[in-house]
Amino acid sequence: MVGQIAIPAGDVLPERATTEIPARVAAGSSAVIAARLERLPMTQFQRNIFLIIATAWFFDSIDLGSLTFLLGSIKTEFGLSTAQAGLLSSMSFIGMFAGAALSGMLADRFGRKLVFQISMVFWGLGSAWCAYAPDATMLGYARLLLGFGMGMEFPVALAIVSEFLPTDKRGRYLAIMEGFWPLGFIAAGCLSYVLLSYFDWRAVFLAQAVPALFLFVIRFLVPESPRWLADRGRYDEADRVMATIETKVAAHLDGRSLAEPKVLPEQVQGERRFSFLELWSPGYASRTVMIWLTWFFALLGFYGLTTWLGALLQDAGYSVAKSVTYTILISLAGIPGFIASAILVERWGRKPTAVLMLLGSAVAAYLYGHSPSFTWLIAFGLMMQFFLFGMWSVLYAYTPELYPTRARATGAGCASAIGRVGSLIGPYVIGIILPTLGHGGVFALGAGSFVIAAASVGILGIETKGRSLEAISH
């Protein structure tokens, strides 16, 4: 099969692929790799890749969500003020900002697989350090390291999944992967509930360090992205990896042969090296402004509210056990939320689904902050989590599609990094304004952030549903 890829009449490969590269390597060129990937049917092989990355995402989400359930206990043990507790919460997001900004560029330079494994080392070490931190200062540094590892993982995971899946499945599976975040959040609550019944908060962090060993599964079972290999000019490697993928996919087809790949005009692009300034070129500037604004305000609202959910319930007079239980309860609505988003991104499209979920989050957050009774508090909390986790799903499905392979991880990483600035500001601002404005003012601030994010998508966003990654790129 190598060197014998069918090219329809009228379609040509880039000049380098036809003249400078031997015929035996032509099957590994960027255009042909894209065509070979796009014609693959969805089989258990791609689902396994998805499940492996999503499982790592799940473990990461447990680490990130745990502070919602542990902040009240930490605040009490170290005698922290609300402002100090908010600053401690924000330390994770400082690390996530640096991790997201660096990992995207590193993944576009050195590969998705290597950077993804390194990210797991950092968050595993960070979580273990949290368990042994002697005071709030050391705990803050440990959360910084933990956040760095988590920030590294997000954009690389998005790049890996988006580059392995066919166009008609990409949005749905990316949205489903983000659904592992509410599952991780719920698991963090359950883990905290069980361990806090017998131990203190340190045991929770120690338990969360163990899943970092999952990096060995990534190392041995996940191949490097052939799209990235071809884009870097490593045509032989791209062809070998692609041939292995085709063999594994074919093994799931019950004897049916793979269709011949057809190179489309949009897949034929000249060799170009990525520059960070290209994010601001005429073809991408409006996308960059849109997605940066959306990430910043969506994450400012989300983390400003959810990081404090447990602590706010404790301040309202509920015990640690009850506050954890109620927070887990309302988080259950995140499961149908991400399922709804996964369906809508392929039926309605990314843009309308994002606007719906963001505006729904705004309305629900405002109502939650002004709940007249405990019953309404739970009802509006369920509504809020439904839209919030639906928002996350569409955001993660949409972001990696906006940039080409040479810059996909960088574009997603920078957007995530900007979002982490919002994540950093949110919990700290809440800690400052809570004594003055009360719960109602806190949730009104979150609602306003979601409205601005929705306006950004509605005005500047483009639709990517049903289009190949190469067709969306310039």
Side-chain angles (χ1 to χ4, degrees):
M1 180 171 191
V2 178
Q4 299 179 0
I5 302 302
I7 309 297
D11 289 332
V12 295
L13 293 179
E15 181 180 351
R16 182 176 178 182
T18 57
T19 61
E20 298 180 17
I21 320 171
R24 64 181 178 83
V25 185
S29 66
S30 297
V32 178
I33 287 295
R36 291 168 73 179
L37 279 167
E38 288 295 334
R39 66 60 148 103
L40 295 180
M42 192 72 176
T43 67
Q44 192 58 46
F45 169 75
Q46 293 101 321
R47 294 189 188 98
N48 287 341
I49 296 293
F50 166 79
L51 286 172
I52 291 170
I53 301 301
T55 299
W57 190 283
F58 170 77
F59 291 143
D60 208 354
S61 299
I62 294 177
D63 270 324
L64 184 59
S66 64
L67 199 61
T68 296
F69 305 98
L70 304 179
L71 184 60
S73 299
I74 294 171
K75 181 171 176 279
T76 299
E77 177 171 330
F78 291 129
L80 304 178
S81 67
T82 54
Q84 289 172 327
L87 180 59
L88 176 63
S89 301
S90 297
M91 293 300 287
S92 300
F93 303 117
I94 296 175
M96 292 178 77
F97 168 79
L102 289 175
S103 71
M105 298 178 190
L106 291 173
D108 282 333
R109 176 65 179 85
F110 298 105
R112 284 51 167 133
K113 183 176 177 178
L114 174 63
V115 177
F116 195 81
Q117 293 174 80
I118 293 172
S119 74
M120 299 184 73
V121 173
F122 278 119
W123 65 252
L125 291 174
S127 192
W129 189 7
C130 286
Y132 295 101
D135 52 43
T137 300
M138 286 296 103
L139 181 60
Y141 291 138
R143 293 294 298 179
L144 186 71
L145 180 63
L146 175 61
F148 183 80
M150 290 188 290
M152 285 186 69
E153 182 176 317
F154 289 141
V156 186
L158 293 177
I160 291 174
V161 174
S162 65
E163 290 172 8
F164 273 100
L165 299 183
T167 296
D168 61 340
K169 304 292 184 182
R170 187 180 65 238
R172 178 166 298 176
Y173 274 84
L174 283 168
I176 291 173
M177 185 173 75
E178 177 48 31
F180 280 69
W181 155 240
L183 295 177
F185 187 84
I186 293 167
C190 293
L191 183 67
S192 300
Y193 182 84
V194 171
L195 292 181
L196 288 176
S197 300
Y198 301 96
F199 309 100
D200 63 8
W201 54 269
R202 298 175 186 276
V204 180
F205 284 120
L206 188 60
Q208 290 169 359
V210 176
L213 297 174
F214 194 72
L215 72 90
F216 292 107
V217 177
I218 305 292
R219 179 175 179 81
F220 293 111
L221 296 182
V222 177
E224 182 55 87
S225 165
R227 270 187 164 107
W228 176 81
L229 289 169
D231 191 71
R232 295 297 300 178
R234 294 161 62 173
Y235 302 112
D236 278 316
E237 290 179 71
D239 182 47
R240 285 197 299 269
V241 172
M242 192 66 234
T244 301
I245 292 172
E246 288 165 336
T247 300
K248 291 182 178 180
V249 169
H252 293 283
L253 297 182
D254 300 322
R256 291 177 288 129
S257 59
L258 294 172
E260 285 295 328
K262 296 181 180 180
V263 177
L264 302 176
E266 63 264 20
Q267 293 169 338
V268 181
Q269 301 177 15
E271 296 297 324
R272 298 169 63 185
R273 293 276 72 83
F274 173 70
S275 165
F276 174 80
L277 295 178
E278 189 175 358
L279 294 182
W280 303 99
S281 66
Y284 295 105
S286 62
R287 299 183 190 186
T288 299
V289 170
M290 179 274 296
I291 205 65
W292 282 23
L293 286 173
T294 302
W295 272 83
F296 177 83
F297 285 104
L299 270 66
L300 187 151
F302 180 87
Y303 284 109
L305 301 183
T306 58
T307 302
W308 279 91
L309 281 179
L312 290 175
L313 286 169
Q314 290 179 41
D315 288 345
Y318 297 101
S319 66
V320 173
K322 285 188 176 181
S323 68
V324 170
T325 301
Y326 294 147
T327 305
I328 294 173
L329 174 63
I330 64 176
S331 298
L332 291 174
I335 297 175
F338 82 77
I339 292 174
S341 188
I343 295 171
L344 292 176
V345 291
E346 295 295 359
R347 292 189 179 178
W348 283 9
R350 282 53 157 167
K351 184 174 176 178
T353 304
V355 172
L356 170 67
M357 293 298 172
L358 286 163
L359 291 180
S361 298
V363 172
Y366 183 83
L367 293 175
Y368 182 88
H370 295 80
S371 300
S373 66
F374 177 74
T375 300
W376 282 110
L377 183 76
I378 296 298
F380 291 139
L382 289 167
M383 177 182 173
M384 181 173 68
Q385 296 296 66
F386 175 92
F387 284 109
L388 285 177
F389 289 117
M391 170 200 78
W392 273 111
S393 289
V394 66
L395 196 59
Y396 276 111
Y398 192 31
T399 303
E401 298 178 331
L402 298 174
Y403 298 100
T405 298
R406 63 184 179 274
R408 183 160 297 116
T410 299
C414 288
S416 180
I418 294 299
R420 304 309 162 186
V421 176
S423 304
L424 166 66
I425 294 173
Y428 185 60
V429 169
I430 297 303
I432 293 175
I433 69 172
L434 178 61
T436 303
L437 299 181
H439 293 187
V442 164
F443 284 90
L445 173 66
S449 298
F450 296 134
V451 170
I452 296 173
S456 301
V457 177
I459 296 171
L460 297 175
I462 64 168
E463 186 51 68
T464 59
K465 179 176 77 75
R467 301 170 66 190
S468 70
L469 293 174
E470 288 73 26
I472 301 167
S473 303
H474 299 294

